[in-house]
Structures are given as C-alpha cells and as structure tokens.
Amino acid sequence: MKSLITATACALAALAGTFSSAHAGERAKYDIVIRNGRVLDGAGNPWVRADVAVRGGRIVAVGVVPQKGKTEIDAAGRFVSPGWIDSMDQSGDVLRRQGLAANKLLMGVTTVIAGEGGTPVPAAEISRYFASLEKQGIGVNFATYYSATQARVEVIGDSARAPSADELTDMKTRIDTAMRAGALGISTALIYPPGAYQSTEELIELAKAAAPYGAIYATHMRDEGVRLGDAISEAIEIGEKGGVKVEIFHLKAAYKPMWGALMEEAGALIDAARARGLDIAADLYPYTAGGTGLEIALPLEVFADGLDAAIEKLKGKEYRADLIKRIENEEFGEWSRINLVVASGGWDGVVLANAFKPPYQQYQYRSIADIAAELNVNPYDLVIDIMLNALPNRAFAFYHMIGEQDVRTALQFPWTSIGTDAAAVEELGGVDDLGLPHPRSYGTFPRILAKYVRDEHVLTLEEAVRKMTSWPASRHGFEDRGVIREGLWADIVVFDADKVQDNATWENGTATPTGIDYVLVNGVLAVREGALTGAKAGRVLRGAGAQ
C-alpha cells in the first residue's frame, strides 16, 4: 500500500511540475508566472535564468518572482522567448471564417503580417474588416498590407494597359484610405498578372501616396532568378524615389543554373542600399522549393486581357498548340529565361502539389515530367489540362528551384526575418487556406530552430530568436511587442530546444511540430502542454497611419 501511495504521489507531482494553479488559500498576485526558464529576451542577448510574471495581458515582472500566479508554469530545462512573428503570412481571408489560426499557434507564432495580395475587402471597407476580426476573435495578432495591384484592379480591372492620370489619382486615393484604416503599407506580387503589368514609374507614384504614413513597400519581386539583381534594384528605386521602407518578400535565389552565386549579389545590393540610408530588409522561408500556381509556367502574354479571357483562349486547341510551339522555341524574349520551369532545372523539378480533382489528383507529389511521360503528353499540354480541370480552384505545384547553400546564406544576413508564405488552416490537419500543402504552413518556425540552429549550427539560438521576434517587431512598428520586458504585451513561447522539431514533409505537409509547449498571446494561454486551448486573444495591429 505504501508503494502505491508513493507512486501516486510521484505521478501527481510530475503532472504538477510543468503546469499548475496556485495553491488553495494563497492569494495570487499574477495571472500567470513562468518559472525557472532560460529567458531569451529577443534582442539577441544570451539567455538568463528568470521568472516571468504576466498580469492583465502584459509582462509585469522579469527576474525573481516570489509571489504566486493563478497559473504557474515550470519552464525548467526549457527556453522562454517572445512570441514569434510571421513576416509573410497569407491568412487575411481565412481568419474571417476561422479565426483560430491553429497551425500558426502550434508553430509558436503569435503575430502574422499578411497582404501579399492585399486585403480581402476594398480599401473603403478595411476599417470594418479589422473591427469584424476583433469582434469575432482571432487566435493571433494580425496586421496587413494593402496591395498596389489591388488598387489598380479596383480602378481599371485586370488588363495590361497603363492607367490614365485620373485613374492613377483614384488609385492613390484608395491607398491613402487604406493607410488611414491601418494598413502597414502597400504590397506587390510582380511575377503574377495583373501586377506584372505595373511599371516601375507607376509603383513609385503609388508609393508616394503611402509615404506620409511611414509605409513599407513590400514586394514579391519581378524576378527571383537569373535577374534577381535587377529586381532588387527596382525595389530599391521604388523605395528611394517613393520615400518608403522596403521589404522583400520570401528572398530567394530561384535559378538552379546559378545556385551559389546570386544570393551573394543580392546581399551586396541590399547592404549598399542600407549604407545609403534606405530602410530595406527581407524575409524568407527555410525550404528549397517554392509553391505557387501552375499558371506561372505560362507567359504573361496569355493573361494580357484578363484571367477569364485567358481561360477561354487556353480551351482552344489551335491557340494552345501555337502557344506551346512558341514557348519551346523560346519566342517570348526575357520570359523564356525567367520561366520558373527553367529556374527549376526543367519539368523534373516541378512537382504537382494539388490538382484538386480527378483524374489528376491521383498524381499528387509526382513531377510533371514523370506524369507527362506516363500519359504520353507534352508537359505544357498536361499543365494546361490540369489548370482548366481544377477550376474554379487554382492548381498548385512545388518548384524545386532554390539551393540549400543560398538558404543558409540568406538566413545569415542580419536583416532577414522569417515568414511562412502560408495561410492559417480552417481545420487542423488540413491544407492551408490557399490549398497548397507546402510544409512551410506547419513547419517553418520549428524548422529554423531544429535544422538551422540545433543540427547544423547555421545560426545561434539567440540570433534565430531575434530574427523571429524583436527584429520584425521593430521593423514593422510593433514597439510594444517582440521583447521579454516589463510593460510589453505578453506574447510568449516556451519551447524545448532539444526536442523542437518540424515534422511536416513534402509528402506530408500537414504534420504538426513538437517541442513547443506553451504559447501565450496577449497574456492568454493559446497552447498549453503542446495542445490548443481554443483561446482567441489576438488583436489587430494597425499601422502608424490609423485614424
């Protein structure tokens, strides 16, 4: 009997060791106290042994905390850091339907910055959109850009023509409205139509409209491959002439024939611009393949009259045969070089990620070259068939166009932060809201700590955490977050550096990570002992222009 009592007592003590409530009869001074952790302040300093006390959503004490909390967390043997910030998120739409952002929280993400494609509502409705997110509840803090291309489409549609002077003025008015509603800045995705039709001069003028509000110009550049240097130079020109800061989305050297050469050039260009005084930086995800629609394998000319017209043209056998012949004869000028198929080293490097429907979904995770050979069809014919069959969905592929050494080089630039380029999920275990089963949607942040810190020593732990916390917080104007410091909002992650692991793979992109034990958002436990609590304590973080 004595041994049974002893065993039971030990088991209960073990359970209480990591998470407990204040003892009965003791009056708790704090909401939560995290004890005995190795506290990484987020600023890049070495860890210190300390307790962290939280009350009213904020950090109120760091150091020796003798008073009790209503909830006590024993972080012995683990690290305590500020909550991680996703610098390149795609959740602007899904949060309206499912606000929890489960995959983000389980990665330790407490703040997301969305808007590569803009907001899911027009500029005039952004204030109401923000208010509705706050009213319904969101699991993470949320900020967003408004798209310069969105302003263009709202005014002139998705054709390739240039705007008139009056239309440009209308576009600038919409940007001013978005900035006053709290957008962080304006974004572009210049590799995709209709954004690809916006000239440098047009973008400079639109940037000027956002500049008075301390805006960032955030861009998926016109080329991430053989002309990477030219694309960075364009972004720098827009920043310098438009009077705005610059953020390069998902920095990569995406051109297999020149792996190991382009990223160094990119870093030198950005360093030189920073030396001149331009506030420019970049984010990246730690993977060697990008993920995007199959339509990117077709020349921009196809989409010059808009998406609907392009779909009708691609249904025509004669048009399609002539298009494929012209592509194979490299008759599309510079596009023939920047084509992502070429960047991936050919169709062997392009893998079908999501075809959405039979008969092509059965070929998921196989290369386009392999599928085309089995079906005895031209790869371009196959891609067009998959695209049309997937409608109204967007068929996706993985483009294996990034060298591992270039990922490491980019991670070591002091001005890079981390972004998933992925959306939140509607249901945990499912693909993200984009429909793209890329492992980055479940694995990005733990992968940084597991692969590039612990296993390969590309970054120190302190530097990796800085890139995920204080650096993006400061850069985006979130001065009350990103650091473990008294008075700041209590966005906090408790993790085991020895056990943290991304489990998502190319074949199983929705596996959840391990080793991330507790996540607090604005002082509320969103993840407890590795499991979601269901709390939605996130806030909308508005830009400096918010009225």
Side-chain angles (χ1 to χ4, degrees):
M1 178 63 74
K2 183 177 180 181
S3 61
L4 177 60
I5 293 172
T6 302
T8 303
C10 289
L12 290 172
L15 286 172
T18 58
F19 179 82
S20 65
S21 297
H23 297 297
E26 292 187 10
R27 186 171 182 178
K29 181 176 181 179
Y30 304 110
D31 296 328
I32 298 173
V33 178
I34 303 169
R35 297 195 182 278
N36 306 313
R38 302 175 188 179
V39 176
L40 292 158
D41 66 0
N45 294 310
W47 65 266
V48 297
R49 183 83 63 192
D51 305 330
V52 179
V54 175
R55 185 175 59 218
R58 293 183 181 268
I59 299 167
V60 292
V62 180
V64 177
V65 178
Q67 299 90 349
K68 296 295 182 182
K70 295 176 184 176
T71 296
E72 295 265 327
I73 298 171
D74 185 358
R78 286 171 287 185
F79 288 91
V80 180
S81 93
W84 302 337
I85 298 174
D86 186 344
S87 293
M88 205 274 175
D89 167 78
Q90 300 279 7
S91 301
D93 191 31
V94 67
L95 290 180
R96 298 193 293 176
R97 305 188 304 277
Q98 168 51 278
L100 186 59
N103 56 321
K104 303 285 182 169
L105 289 171
L106 290 175
M107 276 195 288
V109 170
T110 59
T111 298
V112 302
I113 302 170
E116 179 193 24
T119 56
V121 298
E125 298 177 21
I126 292 175
S127 290
R128 289 193 294 274
Y129 162 63
F130 285 163
S132 69
L133 290 179
E134 291 177 322
K135 183 177 180 180
Q136 73 177 42
I138 50 178
V140 291
N141 302 309
F142 175 80
T144 187
Y145 298 99
Y146 172 74
S147 171
T149 307
Q150 182 178 0
R152 175 189 170 96
V153 171
E154 288 177 15
V155 175
I156 69 172
D158 61 357
S159 65
R161 73 173 178 85
S164 67
D166 286 344
E167 289 167 338
L168 187 62
T169 297
D170 193 353
M171 292 159 62
K172 294 173 77 169
T173 298
R174 292 167 190 266
I175 287 172
D176 185 84
T177 298
M179 295 302 299
R180 288 175 179 269
L184 295 181
I186 58 171
S187 61
T188 57
L190 300 180
I191 196 171
Y192 305 111
Y197 307 132
Q198 292 185 281
S199 68
T200 306
E201 292 72 24
E202 177 183 326
L203 293 172
I204 289 170
E205 289 304 308
L206 297 181
K208 289 178 180 178
Y213 305 100
I216 298 175
Y217 168 71
T219 180
H220 178 159
M221 296 182 296
R222 214 174 290 275
D223 186 4
E224 298 177 314
V226 66
R227 294 184 60 185
L228 176 62
D230 291 342
I232 291 173
S233 295
E234 180 188 36
I236 289 170
E237 182 180 1
I238 292 166
E240 290 180 331
K241 293 182 178 179
V244 290
K245 297 180 281 189
V246 177
E247 175 78 6
I248 295 175
F249 282 146
H250 45 58
L251 178 66
K252 62 178 73 74
Y255 190 64
K256 189 172 184 177
M258 295 182 68
W259 284 353
L262 290 171
M263 188 56 74
E264 294 287 355
E265 176 189 357
L269 284 168
I270 293 170
D271 282 338
R274 289 184 62 83
R276 292 197 302 273
L278 179 64
D279 189 347
I280 179 173
D283 54 74
L284 73 150
Y285 50 77
Y287 295 92
T288 56
T292 192
L294 279 173
E295 81 285 344
I296 202 66
L298 302 180
L300 291 173
E301 177 185 297
V302 175
F303 304 94
D305 297 319
L307 179 60
D308 291 340
I311 290 170
E312 291 305 311
K313 287 187 291 187
L314 291 171
K315 290 177 180 177
K317 292 184 179 180
E318 291 185 9
Y319 174 84
R320 186 194 295 196
D322 180 65
L323 173 67
I324 293 172
K325 180 180 179 181
R326 292 175 64 199
I327 292 173
E328 292 177 341
N329 289 338
E330 300 183 1
E331 296 178 14
F332 286 96
E334 188 59 37
W335 177 85
S336 296
R337 297 181 67 203
I338 67 172
N339 180 356
L340 293 196
V341 179
V342 175
S344 302
W347 288 113
D348 285 319
V350 182
V351 175
L352 182 63
N354 197 349
F356 285 96
K357 301 176 185 177
Y360 299 109
Q361 188 64 359
Q362 66 178 308
Y363 299 109
Q364 188 179 30
Y365 306 133
R366 291 176 60 183
S367 74
I368 296 297
D370 188 28
I371 302 167
E374 180 173 321
L375 299 179
N376 194 28
V377 296
N378 181 285
Y380 279 103
D381 257 324
L382 172 64
V383 162
I384 294 170
D385 283 339
I386 294 173
M387 287 169 48
L388 296 177
N389 185 70
L391 292 171
N393 298 302
R394 183 187 182 198
F396 285 103
F398 300 135
Y399 296 83
H400 289 270
M401 55 190 178
I402 308 164
E404 176 63 33
Q405 182 55 51
D406 290 325
V407 174
R408 296 181 183 190
T409 297
L411 281 173
Q412 291 176 321
F413 293 139
W415 33 258
T416 51
S417 60
I418 308 303
T420 62
D421 193 13
V425 297
E426 282 206 63
E427 183 177 352
L428 188 63
V431 298
D432 79 350
D433 190 54
L434 300 177
L436 178 60
H438 196 298
R440 64 194 181 196
S441 64
Y442 281 80
T444 293
F445 285 81
R447 182 175 178 82
I448 293 291
L449 298 180
K451 177 178 173 65
Y452 293 101
V453 174
R454 183 187 64 219
D455 297 343
E456 299 184 3
H457 309 292
V458 174
L459 297 171
T460 65
L461 180 59
E462 294 83 357
E463 175 66 359
V465 169
R466 183 190 69 84
K467 287 175 174 288
M468 293 164 18
T469 58
S470 68
W471 169 235
S474 176
R475 173 143 178 79
H476 293 91
F478 308 148
E479 297 300 339
D480 53 358
R481 300 175 192 275
V483 180
I484 300 289
R485 183 180 299 151
E486 293 178 14
L488 302 194
W489 287 103
D491 296 338
I492 299 173
V493 179
V494 179
F495 66 96
D496 189 325
D498 294 327
K499 296 180 180 178
V500 66
Q501 189 64 56
D502 58 307
N503 297 312
T505 65
W506 296 112
E507 294 76 24
N508 182 15
T510 61
T512 55
T514 48
I516 298 168
D517 300 318
Y518 297 90
V519 178
L520 279 68
V521 179
N522 296 311
V524 177
L525 273 167
V527 174
R528 180 172 55 211
E529 296 179 348
L532 295 161
T533 67
K536 296 179 180 178
R539 296 168 178 246
V540 173
L541 307 182
R542 294 166 175 81
Q547 302 297 303

